Amino acid sequence: MNVWDFFKNLFQEAEESSLYKPLIHESIVRDEQEKQAYAEWKKSLEHRRSIDWLNHQFVTWQSLPNELDDAILFLNTPSSKGFAIHFKESDIDYRHATYLFDFLKEKVLSLNYRTQVSDTRTWSDKKAVQTLDRHYLKPRTSKTADGKIRQLFGNITIELLHRDNTPFNLKFRATAYHDRLYQPADDFEFLMDGILQ
Protein backbone atom coordinates (compact mmCIF):
# COMPACT_ATOMS: atom_id res chain seq x y z
CA MET A 1 0.00 0.00 0.00
CA ASN A 2 1.39 3.41 -0.89
CA VAL A 3 1.30 6.45 1.39
CA TRP A 4 -1.64 8.04 -0.46
CA ASP A 5 -3.81 4.91 0.00
CA PHE A 6 -2.84 4.76 3.67
CA PHE A 7 -4.04 8.33 4.33
CA LYS A 8 -7.15 7.88 2.21
CA ASN A 9 -8.09 4.79 4.24
CA LEU A 10 -7.33 6.59 7.50
CA PHE A 11 -9.63 9.50 6.62
CA GLN A 12 -12.37 7.11 5.52
CA GLU A 13 -12.08 5.18 8.82
CA ALA A 14 -12.31 8.48 10.73
CA GLU A 15 -15.46 9.49 8.83
CA GLU A 16 -17.09 6.11 9.48
CA SER A 17 -16.13 5.99 13.17
CA SER A 18 -18.61 6.23 16.07
CA LEU A 19 -18.77 5.54 19.80
CA TYR A 20 -19.46 1.87 19.04
CA LYS A 21 -16.94 1.70 16.18
CA PRO A 22 -14.20 4.05 17.42
CA LEU A 23 -11.15 5.01 15.42
CA ILE A 24 -9.08 4.51 18.58
CA HIS A 25 -10.01 2.21 21.49
CA GLU A 26 -7.47 1.54 24.20
CA SER A 27 -7.08 0.98 27.93
CA ILE A 28 -6.42 3.95 30.18
CA VAL A 29 -2.95 3.69 31.68
CA ARG A 30 -1.40 6.59 33.62
CA ASP A 31 2.40 6.91 33.54
CA GLU A 32 4.48 7.91 36.57
CA GLN A 33 4.58 11.59 35.60
CA GLU A 34 0.77 11.68 35.30
CA LYS A 35 0.38 9.90 38.64
CA GLN A 36 2.70 12.41 40.32
CA ALA A 37 0.85 15.40 38.81
CA TYR A 38 -2.46 13.88 39.95
CA ALA A 39 -1.10 13.42 43.51
CA GLU A 40 -0.10 17.13 43.53
CA TRP A 41 -3.54 18.14 42.23
CA LYS A 42 -5.21 16.32 45.15
CA LYS A 43 -3.40 18.72 47.51
CA SER A 44 -4.46 21.80 45.53
CA LEU A 45 -7.07 24.48 46.12
CA GLU A 46 -8.48 23.65 42.67
CA HIS A 47 -9.28 20.12 43.90
CA ARG A 48 -10.80 21.35 47.17
CA ARG A 49 -13.02 23.86 45.34
CA SER A 50 -14.31 21.16 42.97
CA ILE A 51 -15.25 18.81 45.80
CA ASP A 52 -16.80 21.62 47.87
CA TRP A 53 -18.85 22.74 44.84
CA LEU A 54 -20.06 19.20 44.14
CA ASN A 55 -20.94 18.70 47.81
CA HIS A 56 -22.85 22.00 47.89
CA GLN A 57 -24.77 21.04 44.72
CA PHE A 58 -25.73 17.66 46.19
CA VAL A 59 -27.04 19.28 49.39
CA THR A 60 -28.91 21.90 47.31
CA TRP A 61 -30.48 19.18 45.13
CA GLN A 62 -31.77 17.42 48.26
CA SER A 63 -33.30 20.52 49.83
CA LEU A 64 -33.77 23.24 47.17
CA PRO A 65 -33.58 21.51 43.77
CA ASN A 66 -34.74 24.61 41.87
CA GLU A 67 -31.61 26.45 43.01
CA LEU A 68 -29.10 24.04 41.45
CA ASP A 69 -26.26 25.41 39.36
CA ASP A 70 -27.07 25.12 35.62
CA ALA A 71 -23.88 23.11 35.15
CA ILE A 72 -25.15 20.03 37.01
CA LEU A 73 -28.05 17.59 36.81
CA PHE A 74 -28.87 14.77 39.21
CA LEU A 75 -30.31 11.46 38.08
CA ASN A 76 -32.77 9.66 40.36
CA THR A 77 -34.63 6.70 38.87
CA PRO A 78 -35.49 3.37 40.51
CA SER A 79 -32.46 1.66 38.93
CA SER A 80 -29.95 4.52 38.39
CA LYS A 81 -28.71 7.36 40.54
CA GLY A 82 -26.01 9.85 39.71
CA PHE A 83 -25.09 13.23 38.31
CA ALA A 84 -23.83 14.89 35.14
CA ILE A 85 -21.62 17.97 35.07
CA HIS A 86 -21.63 20.06 31.90
CA PHE A 87 -18.45 22.05 31.44
CA LYS A 88 -18.95 25.46 29.94
CA GLU A 89 -16.39 26.49 27.35
CA SER A 90 -13.05 27.29 29.01
CA ASP A 91 -14.67 26.60 32.40
CA ILE A 92 -12.28 23.74 33.17
CA ASP A 93 -9.15 22.51 31.46
CA TYR A 94 -8.39 19.02 30.17
CA ARG A 95 -5.97 18.26 33.00
CA HIS A 96 -8.37 19.25 35.81
CA ALA A 97 -11.32 17.37 34.26
CA THR A 98 -9.18 14.23 33.92
CA TYR A 99 -8.00 14.48 37.54
CA LEU A 100 -11.59 14.85 38.76
CA PHE A 101 -12.57 11.82 36.64
CA ASP A 102 -9.74 9.75 38.18
CA PHE A 103 -10.46 11.07 41.68
CA LEU A 104 -14.04 9.81 41.53
CA LYS A 105 -12.72 6.38 40.52
CA GLU A 106 -10.22 6.39 43.38
CA LYS A 107 -12.94 7.22 45.90
CA VAL A 108 -15.25 4.47 44.57
CA LEU A 109 -12.39 1.94 44.79
CA SER A 110 -12.02 2.84 48.48
CA LEU A 111 -15.66 1.74 49.00
CA ASN A 112 -14.92 -1.95 48.31
CA TYR A 113 -15.15 -1.76 44.50
CA ARG A 114 -12.88 -3.10 41.77
CA THR A 115 -12.16 -1.81 38.28
CA GLN A 116 -13.87 -3.84 35.58
CA VAL A 117 -12.84 -1.59 32.66
CA SER A 118 -10.95 1.68 32.21
CA ASP A 119 -10.85 2.60 28.56
CA THR A 120 -10.89 5.46 26.10
CA ARG A 121 -12.60 5.66 22.71
CA THR A 122 -12.06 8.30 20.05
CA TRP A 123 -14.23 8.88 17.00
CA SER A 124 -15.16 11.67 14.65
CA ASP A 125 -18.54 13.10 13.78
CA LYS A 126 -19.63 16.13 11.76
CA LYS A 127 -19.23 18.45 14.75
CA ALA A 128 -15.98 17.39 16.42
CA VAL A 129 -13.47 14.74 17.33
CA GLN A 130 -15.02 13.07 20.37
CA THR A 131 -13.13 11.18 23.08
CA LEU A 132 -14.95 9.25 25.79
CA ASP A 133 -12.92 8.13 28.81
CA ARG A 134 -14.70 5.56 30.96
CA HIS A 135 -14.18 3.84 34.30
CA TYR A 136 -16.59 0.97 34.92
CA LEU A 137 -16.47 -0.37 38.48
CA LYS A 138 -18.16 -3.33 40.12
CA PRO A 139 -18.66 -4.06 43.81
CA ARG A 140 -16.68 -6.76 45.51
CA THR A 141 -19.86 -8.69 46.18
CA SER A 142 -20.58 -11.02 49.05
CA LYS A 143 -23.65 -12.95 50.15
CA THR A 144 -25.84 -12.02 53.09
CA ALA A 145 -27.12 -14.51 55.70
CA ASP A 146 -30.26 -15.08 53.59
CA GLY A 147 -28.14 -15.96 50.51
CA LYS A 148 -28.74 -12.70 48.62
CA ILE A 149 -25.89 -10.91 46.86
CA ARG A 150 -24.83 -7.64 48.49
CA GLN A 151 -24.44 -5.21 45.60
CA LEU A 152 -23.36 -2.15 47.63
CA PHE A 153 -24.46 0.79 45.40
CA GLY A 154 -24.66 -1.28 42.19
CA ASN A 155 -22.31 -1.01 39.21
CA ILE A 156 -20.73 2.41 38.80
CA THR A 157 -19.88 4.10 35.51
CA ILE A 158 -17.82 7.30 35.33
CA GLU A 159 -17.54 8.91 31.88
CA LEU A 160 -15.65 11.98 30.74
CA LEU A 161 -16.46 13.27 27.25
CA HIS A 162 -14.08 15.61 25.41
CA ARG A 163 -14.91 17.41 22.18
CA ASP A 164 -11.89 18.56 20.19
CA ASN A 165 -9.74 17.96 23.28
CA THR A 166 -11.94 20.25 25.42
CA PRO A 167 -13.89 18.75 28.35
CA PHE A 168 -17.61 18.67 27.54
CA ASN A 169 -19.25 16.70 30.36
CA LEU A 170 -18.62 14.24 33.15
CA LYS A 171 -21.21 11.63 34.14
CA PHE A 172 -21.28 9.54 37.30
CA ARG A 173 -23.94 6.83 37.52
CA ALA A 174 -24.67 3.97 39.94
CA THR A 175 -26.94 1.31 38.44
CA ALA A 176 -28.50 -1.26 40.78
CA TYR A 177 -30.07 -4.63 40.12
CA HIS A 178 -33.71 -5.14 41.09
CA ASP A 179 -33.74 -8.88 41.20
CA ARG A 180 -34.60 -11.38 43.92
CA LEU A 181 -30.97 -12.61 43.86
CA TYR A 182 -29.76 -9.21 45.11
CA GLN A 183 -30.12 -7.31 48.32
CA PRO A 184 -31.42 -3.75 47.67
CA ALA A 185 -28.68 -1.26 46.83
CA ASP A 186 -27.29 0.96 49.57
CA ASP A 187 -28.55 4.56 49.70
CA PHE A 188 -27.05 6.90 47.08
CA GLU A 189 -26.52 9.50 49.80
CA PHE A 190 -23.94 7.18 51.42
CA LEU A 191 -22.18 6.83 48.08
CA MET A 192 -21.99 10.62 47.72
CA ASP A 193 -20.68 10.90 51.30
CA GLY A 194 -17.99 8.36 50.39
CA ILE A 195 -16.79 10.16 47.27
CA LEU A 196 -16.97 13.70 48.69
CA GLN A 197 -14.96 13.16 51.89
Side-chain angles (χ1 to χ4, degrees):
M1 176 186 298
N2 66 36
V3 174
W4 176 249
D5 288 338
F6 171 78
F7 282 111
K8 192 165 82 172
N9 288 342
L10 188 63
F11 287 122
Q12 184 174 348
E13 285 177 30
E15 284 182 14
E16 295 171 357
S17 64
S18 69
L19 172 60
Y20 302 105
K21 188 183 170 190
L23 185 61
I24 300 168
H25 183 198
E26 55 194 12
S27 296
I28 294 174
V29 179
R30 306 292 186 218
D31 63 28
E32 285 308 311
Q33 187 176 358
E34 290 169 319
K35 289 177 186 175
Q36 183 60 41
Y38 168 69
E40 290 299 317
W41 173 82
K42 287 196 299 182
K43 300 175 198 168
S44 73
L45 183 59
E46 186 178 40
H47 164 252
R48 187 70 257 154
R49 283 182 180 156
S50 296
I51 301 309
D52 288 347
W53 175 82
L54 187 52
N55 193 32
H56 176 71
Q57 293 309 308
F58 182 60
V59 170
T60 302
W61 175 67
Q62 291 177 303
S63 55
L64 301 164
N66 293 333
E67 295 186 23
L68 270 178
D69 190 312
D70 290 342
I72 192 165
L73 294 169
F74 282 90
L75 171 68
N76 186 15
T77 70
S79 61
S80 291
K81 316 273 188 235
F83 59 86
I85 301 170
H86 179 74
F87 301 119
K88 298 174 183 104
E89 250 180 76
S90 74
D91 192 27
I92 189 168
D93 66 20
Y94 187 95
R95 174 191 58 84
H96 178 66
T98 300
Y99 294 157
L100 182 58
F101 168 73
D102 284 347
F103 177 78
L104 293 171
K105 174 190 174 186
E106 180 182 309
K107 296 303 278 186
V108 171
L109 289 174
S110 74
L111 301 173
N112 203 22
Y113 273 74
R114 63 182 171 78
T115 302
Q116 182 73 17
V117 175
S118 279
D119 66 357
T120 184
R121 296 167 186 246
T122 301
W123 71 97
S124 181
D125 64 23
K126 291 184 176 73
K127 296 178 186 172
V129 173
Q130 313 259 15
T131 300
L132 182 70
D133 296 338
R134 175 183 61 143
H135 295 311
Y136 180 60
L137 304 115
K138 295 188 94 165
R140 296 182 186 277
T141 55
S142 59
K143 290 201 174 180
T144 59
D146 61 2
K148 292 192 173 186
I149 300 168
R150 185 158 187 260
Q151 63 178 317
L152 301 177
F153 306 101
N155 297 335
I156 296 177
T157 305
I158 309 164
E159 295 177 332
L160 175 59
L161 179 65
H162 300 279
R163 289 187 174 165
D164 289 334
N165 226 27
T166 300
F168 184 72
N169 65 37
L170 185 147
K171 296 178 184 174
F172 181 97
R173 183 176 67 253
T175 304
Y177 294 105
H178 294 283
D179 184 301
R180 59 187 177 84
L181 297 174
Y182 292 87
Q183 185 181 50
D186 293 340
D187 193 324
F188 181 65
E189 187 172 342
F190 296 136
L191 174 56
M192 291 298 288
D193 286 346
I195 65 171
L196 294 174
Q197 288 182 9

